[in-house]
Amino acid sequence: MIGRLQCVVLDCPDVLELARFYQAVLGGEVNRPDRRWGVDDDFATLHTEGGLVLAFQRAKDHRPPRWTDPAHPQQFHLDIDVPDLDTAQERLLALGATLLHTDPHGWRIFADPAGHPFCLLKG
């Protein structure tokens, strides 16, 4: 092993909006004091209960990915297990997510408020 993953950083136009969106999805604490990062108007963090840290950095000219458009590739995505897909979908849409695709194999693809795709899987 060469190193340990510190966090996953997502570019976005509004760091607190996206941090709070993922807090509502995954739980955890937004901008918890951490010696590794300083938070400000251009950088926010989310420490999840499972130990994963997501970070959000402001990108002035943020161009969101467009799911399945190779001219605007997704570059990465998160897979999130949920106990009930319908209930999770309802809550995500209320938070500002956009449903992109319902796969016949049982998962659903959404975009967060900044346009990053993520998948819900029944877990």
Side-chain angles (χ1 to χ4, degrees), residues 17-40:
E17 175 188 48
L18 204 56
R20 289 185 181 124
F21 172 84
Y22 279 106
Q23 179 186 36
V25 173
L26 301 171
E29 185 177 351
V30 171
N31 289 341
R32 182 174 85 193
D34 189 313
R35 64 175 175 73
R36 297 174 290 181
W37 306 286
V39 295
D40 57 27

Side-chain angles (χ1 to χ4, degrees), residues 13-72:
D14 185 326
V15 299
L16 279 178
E17 175 188 48
L18 204 56
R20 289 185 181 124
F21 172 84
Y22 279 106
Q23 179 186 36
V25 173
L26 301 171
E29 185 177 351
V30 171
N31 289 341
R32 182 174 85 193
D34 189 313
R35 64 175 175 73
R36 297 174 290 181
W37 306 286
V39 295
D40 57 27
D41 290 342
D42 294 323
F43 195 83
T45 60
L46 173 65
H47 289 73
T48 68
E49 294 172 15
L52 173 68
V53 178
L54 295 177
F56 310 91
Q57 70 182 9
R58 185 179 316 280
K60 286 184 181 180
D61 297 322
H62 176 67
R63 288 181 25 165
R66 293 186 200 147
W67 187 72
T68 74
D69 180 352
H72 300 273

Side-chain angles (χ1 to χ4, degrees), residues 1-6:
M1 180 174 87
I2 294 173
R4 216 177 60 185
L5 180 65
Q6 186 180 89

